[in-house]
């Protein structure tokens, strides 16, 4: 609890000072001249006045540099050069990566988006107050952040967000299909607006990431993918997602948006990470990478799309590396089995045994193929007995209940095959 209290005070400041500051603001009626104040027309930047943007009379202060689009709707813009990598991943070729991922919903002019909301529970009581929208513009990746100063202006905020998202040919998100899009659809319905999100193709990078790095990552939270895949580590100024709703609630009570600096930064990093992740996945899909392990991942990517020929091409390339040969042949065997090409699957399962390592799965699969598909019980028995012998030698590495259950399954397989082999032999003699 003390750690959480320290983190909250780092963002909010000590409670007595906050209350004293709010009381002084109310007494004097003048919020001062610090960054981002919008109490009077004089506080609005010259750029905003020249553009004829609306003056914000809500007493909001401490916002990052930006402009009011409408009453209660504020826009912040950030430009990131394509020459500057995010982590270790270059953003050059971002448009091409969208084309390479077109069968998953990608496009040449994608719009990357992410929401910061008042909670994760969903439902009609949760709404978004900050939307990050990123897109490619000439030599820069531009992130625009649309801020909702008060829930009273949500309808206008939704309209402005629709205009930003409509600039692209497809949407790119991280778990947006399950959370962001349904949330926005609910908010549109409550505001009596027609939902616009179903009209655009949608590339959800969470789903692709799970397929590509399955077995390599323990968690697929975006911050974990950043750390282990993009090699990007967020600094201490980042706000943990769990604190975002509390910070926004404190802002609504005080009118001081300076405490949201970390939230704006958090959202901007989310968008940059989406762009870098698409760029990396696009290169994997088209080139496979320079390492055999990357070719394995590229094969998984195409296999999830049902493109088994493309997947097999990458797996064969990965099989040229002795360190990845066993895994590559297993993937090829599974692909052949899905096509019901049993002799081919049997050949690849046999080849995977030569790669070393724990080969229980190939032995069991070979036993199944010879028993159920190629109908040779003697050969099926040979592989089953070898699988049991190998498994019994792993007693020290498996927990008791799991080891006992798998041992019983293998023993039953061996006993059944012994009976069937004897029956098959007597039928052949007869």
């Amino acid at each position: 609890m003390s750690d959480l209290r320290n983190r909250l005070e780092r963002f909010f400041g000590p409670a007595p000072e906050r209350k004293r500051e709010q009381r002084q603001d109310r007494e004097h009626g003048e919020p001062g001249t610090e960054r981002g104040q919008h109490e009077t027309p004089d506080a609005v930047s010259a750029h905003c006045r020249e553009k004829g943007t609306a003056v914000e009379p809500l007493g909001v202060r401490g916002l990052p540099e930006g402009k009011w689009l409408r009453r209660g709707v504020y826009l912040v813009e950030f430009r990131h050069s394509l020459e500057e990598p995010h982590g270790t991943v270059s953003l050059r070729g971002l448009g091409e990566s969208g084309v390479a991922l077109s069968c998953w919903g990608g496009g040449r002019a994608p719009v990357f988006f992410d929401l910061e909301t008042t909670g994760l529970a969903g439902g009609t009581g949760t709404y978004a107050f900050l939307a990050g929208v990123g897109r490619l513009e000439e030599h820069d990746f531009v992130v625009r952040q649309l801020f909702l100063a008060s829930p009273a202006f949500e309808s206008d905020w939704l309209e402005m967000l629709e205009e930003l998202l409509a600039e692209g040919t497809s949407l790119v998100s991280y778990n947006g299909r399950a959370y962001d899009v349904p949330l926005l659809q609910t908010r549109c319905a409550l505001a009596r607006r027609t939902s616009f999100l179903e009209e655009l193709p949608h590339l959800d990078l969470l789903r692709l990431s799970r397929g590509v790095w399955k077995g390599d990552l323990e968690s697929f939270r975006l911050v974990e993918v950043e750390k282990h895949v993009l090699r990007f580590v967020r600094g201490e100024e980042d706000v943990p997602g769990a604190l975002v709703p509390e910070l926004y609630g404190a802002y609504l009570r005080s009118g001081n948006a300076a405490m949201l600096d970390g939230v704006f930064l958090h959202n901007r990093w989310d968008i940059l990470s989406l762009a870098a992740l698409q760029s990396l996945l696009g290169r994997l899909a088209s080139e496979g990478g320079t390492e055999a392990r990357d070719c394995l991942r590229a094969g998984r990517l195409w296999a999830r799309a049902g493109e088994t020929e493309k997947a097999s091409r990458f797996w064969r390339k990965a099989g040229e590396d002795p360190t990845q040969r066993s895994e590559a042949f297993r993937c090829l065997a599974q692909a052949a089995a899905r096509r019901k090409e049993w002799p081919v699957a049997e050949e690849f399962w046999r080849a995977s045994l030569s790669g070393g390592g724990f080969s229980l799965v190939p032995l069991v699969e070979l036993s199944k193929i010879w028993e159920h598909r190629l109908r040779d019980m003697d050969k099926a028995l040979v592989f089953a007995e070898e699988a049991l012998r190998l498994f019994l030698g792993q007693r020290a590495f498996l927990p008791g209940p799991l080891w006992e259950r798998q041992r019983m399954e293998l023993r039953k397989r061996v006993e059944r095959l012994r009976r069937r082999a004897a029956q098959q032999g007597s039928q052949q003699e007869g």
Side-chain angles (χ1 to χ4, degrees):
M1 287 298 293
S2 61
D3 181 61
L4 178 60
R5 186 180 299 109
N6 290 337
R7 300 187 78 175
L8 287 169
E9 289 188 352
R10 180 159 63 89
F11 294 116
F12 297 137
E17 293 183 17
R18 293 201 311 273
K19 292 180 179 178
R20 185 162 53 252
E21 178 188 350
Q22 296 167 17
R23 186 166 57 252
Q24 289 173 351
D25 288 345
R26 288 193 297 268
E27 291 172 357
H28 297 292
E30 294 284 346
T33 58
E34 72 248 38
R35 169 181 74 113
Q37 287 188 319
H38 304 283
E39 180 75 2
T40 66
D42 291 337
V44 183
S45 68
H47 173 75
C48 292
R49 290 199 302 271
E50 291 172 3
K51 295 293 183 180
T53 53
V55 173
E56 177 55 48
L58 296 177
V60 179
R61 61 189 184 281
L63 282 168
E65 183 179 352
K67 61 180 180 180
W68 293 101
L69 300 181
R70 290 188 183 178
R71 178 172 164 83
V73 183
Y74 190 75
L75 180 69
V76 177
E77 184 175 302
F78 172 82
R79 306 184 79 87
H80 183 93
S81 173
L82 297 182
E83 302 299 321
E84 182 181 351
H86 183 67
T88 59
V89 179
S90 172
L91 299 186
R92 287 178 293 182
L94 189 58
E96 289 77 5
S97 68
V99 175
L101 300 173
S102 58
C103 64
W104 293 277
R108 180 169 292 278
V111 170
F112 302 83
F113 83 104
D114 184 71
L115 302 178
E116 307 304 329
T117 68
T118 58
L120 297 176
T124 57
T126 302
Y127 63 92
F129 66 87
L130 181 65
V133 178
R135 64 187 298 248
L136 191 62
E137 293 185 8
E138 296 182 351
H139 304 296
D140 293 327
F141 182 71
V142 181
V143 179
R144 294 184 174 90
Q145 296 174 291
L146 202 63
F147 176 67
L148 178 62
S150 168
F153 308 104
E154 184 183 28
S155 182
D156 286 341
W157 183 86
L158 289 169
E159 183 179 345
M160 294 292 99
L161 178 59
E162 178 178 1
E163 292 182 8
L164 288 178
L165 294 178
E167 294 176 353
T169 59
S170 63
L171 300 177
V172 182
S173 71
Y174 199 82
N175 199 33
R177 286 185 180 274
Y179 183 73
D180 299 69
V181 169
L183 176 66
L184 287 177
Q185 289 174 331
T186 297
R187 302 314 301 180
C188 285
L190 292 173
R192 298 183 180 180
R193 296 184 56 85
T194 302
S195 175
F196 54 89
L197 296 169
E198 296 178 354
E199 302 173 3
L200 292 175
H202 188 164
L203 171 61
D204 193 328
L205 295 177
L206 172 60
R207 298 185 178 188
L208 287 189
S209 298
R210 282 175 173 165
V212 172
W213 289 286
K214 182 180 180 180
D216 296 329
L217 300 178
E218 294 183 359
S219 169
F220 285 91
R221 294 172 58 234
L222 184 57
V223 291
E224 294 299 318
V225 175
E226 289 174 341
K227 183 187 303 182
H228 298 290
V229 177
L230 306 179
R231 307 298 180 187
F232 174 74
V233 180
R234 301 187 180 218
E236 293 184 357
E237 61 270 30
D238 180 49
V239 172
L243 293 181
V244 169
E246 183 69 22
L247 286 168
Y248 185 66
Y251 149 75
L252 289 177
R253 292 188 294 272
S254 68
N256 183 6
M259 65 180 68
L260 299 178
D261 280 354
V263 178
F264 278 89
L265 181 62
H266 175 94
N267 180 259
R268 190 171 78 221
W269 277 342
D270 283 349
I271 299 299
L272 286 171
S273 292
L274 293 186
L277 189 56
Q278 179 186 284
S279 184
L280 179 59
L281 287 168
R283 283 197 293 272
L284 276 178
S286 57
E287 304 169 10
T290 57
E291 300 180 357
R293 192 71 183 167
D294 289 333
C295 290
L296 279 176
R297 293 167 177 145
R300 292 177 196 160
L301 194 62
W302 286 110
R304 287 178 65 86
E307 297 283 350
T308 55
E309 290 187 9
K310 290 183 178 180
S312 297
R313 188 161 60 248
F314 283 114
W315 286 330
R316 285 190 171 89
K317 185 177 178 181
E320 297 173 2
D321 186 333
T323 64
Q324 304 298 327
R325 185 170 297 157
S326 178
E327 182 66 23
F329 286 154
R330 290 188 188 196
C331 292
L332 288 166
Q334 291 168 345
R338 284 193 290 269
R339 298 192 301 270
K340 301 186 184 304
E341 298 176 359
W342 305 114
V344 177
E346 197 272 348
E347 180 182 352
F348 280 124
W349 280 122
R350 277 180 180 269
S352 72
L353 293 173
S354 63
F358 188 55
S359 53
L360 180 64
V361 172
L363 289 170
V364 172
E365 292 301 323
L366 283 165
S367 178
K368 290 178 180 179
I369 288 176
W370 282 108
E371 178 184 5
H372 300 295
R373 307 301 177 183
L374 302 182
R375 302 291 182 179
D376 189 324
M377 303 305 150
D378 287 329
K379 289 185 177 180
L381 178 59
V382 168
F383 289 116
E385 289 178 334
E386 178 62 18
L388 179 59
R389 183 196 66 78
L390 180 66
F391 180 76
L392 292 176
Q394 302 296 314
R395 177 69 180 88
F397 305 101
L398 294 173
L402 177 62
W403 185 87
E404 183 62 28
R405 184 170 65 252
Q406 292 187 354
R407 184 184 70 85
M408 291 297 297
E409 291 176 357
L410 287 171
R411 281 195 178 278
K412 288 181 180 179
R413 178 178 297 278
V414 169
E415 292 170 359
R416 183 181 69 250
L417 285 171
R418 284 174 179 168
R419 293 193 300 270
R420 296 194 68 182
Q423 294 173 358
Q424 192 176 57
S426 61
Q427 290 174 357
Q428 291 174 351
E429 290 177 359

